[in-house]
Amino acid sequence: MLTRCPNPQCRFGFEVPDDRAGKNGPCPNCGQVITFRPLEILQQVEHQQQRLAKAGRASSSLPGVPEPFSALLEDVRSLWNVGSIFRTADGAGFKRLYLCGITGCPPRKEIAKTSLGAEDVVAWEHHTGALEIIPALKDRGVQIVGLEQTPASIPLSKAVADGRIRTPLCLVVGNEVAGLSAETIAACDLLCDLPMHGMKASLNVAVAFGVAAYLLREERR
């Protein structure tokens, strides 16, 4: 399987065994641990970026002052989930969404069905990968908070209680199955999770975003 390093400063192309798709490992050029994605998927994302550019919806410049609350969606496949997150973002006061990777972008009827028009009031922009925007956000003082269960993550409620959350912040959520990529996890300032008390190990990404977004928004309010 052909793949490519997602780091914008590297973008080295190389081959890995087919069964390594979706797995993590180091880039042989820059050494960063990344999640291996098929090259054809990466090229599809680039074509989407080109279509958006022709339609006048290319990645926009960052606002003069960072929004207190924004969110980044990495490889969220379901358009219905994307639409639901738009609607919740509006309700919780998140002013901007960064749609990255294979995450679908408006206008799509599936997004509109669950967003109920929220995509028209919540600013959004598309990037081919999360690493194309996270460094710029960090340079502007935005705290990158990843929502992912890892050995290093802590309950989001504990992070709030301990005063580890600050604004401006960007809440990062990932793919419905794979979660956040290795490179995005490494780029986060803080990793948090939502404790699970039943049989299942995780929530639907749109539901998880809603729980976390309102907890963060109300705490900072």
Side-chain angles (χ1 to χ4, degrees):
M1 179 189 79
L2 291 175
T3 188
R4 187 173 61 207
C5 180
N7 189 328
Q9 282 71 49
C10 180
R11 294 178 64 84
F12 180 72
F14 57 98
E15 191 169 353
V16 297
D18 290 345
D19 61 1
R20 295 291 292 163
K23 303 294 180 60
N24 300 332
C27 167
N29 185 55
C30 69
Q32 179 173 346
V33 176
I34 62 174
T35 297
F36 300 130
R37 301 176 179 85
L39 183 60
E40 57 265 30
I41 298 297
L42 300 177
Q43 291 173 336
Q44 289 175 17
V45 171
E46 291 174 346
H47 291 158
Q48 175 176 249
Q49 180 73 5
Q50 293 169 2
R51 289 195 298 270
L52 290 170
K54 290 181 180 178
R57 293 308 307 255
S59 301
S60 62
S61 58
L62 292 173
V65 178
E67 294 93 345
F69 298 93
S70 61
L72 186 151
L73 283 57
E74 182 185 41
D75 294 338
V76 175
R77 181 175 294 276
S78 167
L79 296 175
W80 289 275
N81 279 336
V82 174
S84 180
I85 290 174
F86 262 105
R87 185 177 179 183
T88 302
D90 175 54
F94 279 59
K95 300 300 185 183
R96 184 176 296 266
L97 297 183
Y98 302 99
L99 310 177
C100 299
I102 65 171
T103 303
C105 302
R108 293 292 296 269
K109 63 180 181 180
E110 298 92 340
I111 292 177
K113 185 175 180 64
T114 50
S115 71
L116 299 183
E119 73 275 22
D120 295 327
V121 295
V122 176
W124 64 272
E125 53 191 74
H126 179 263
H127 297 270
T128 56
L131 295 189
E132 291 191 354
I133 185 62
I134 287 179
L137 293 173
K138 284 187 165 186
D139 287 344
R140 297 165 64 82
V142 177
Q143 183 184 34
I144 310 298
V145 180
L147 194 62
E148 184 67 83
Q149 292 180 335
T150 75
S153 62
I154 63 173
L156 183 59
S157 58
K158 177 173 173 54
V160 168
D162 292 347
R164 300 183 63 179
I165 300 294
R166 59 173 175 78
T167 54
L169 70 83
C170 180
L171 178 63
V172 185
V173 296
N175 179 263
E176 291 90 337
V177 176
L180 295 178
S181 66
E183 62 270 16
T184 297
I185 287 175
C188 289
D189 298 312
L190 182 64
L191 290 171
C192 297
D193 57 52
L194 299 176
M196 301 297 295
H197 303 294
M199 293 177 58
K200 297 299 183 180
S202 63
L203 295 171
N204 169 272
V205 63
V207 173
F209 172 81
V211 173
Y214 269 90
L215 193 158
L216 292 169
R217 187 67 174 84
E218 290 304 295
E219 187 277 335
R220 296 309 302 175
R221 183 175 66 86

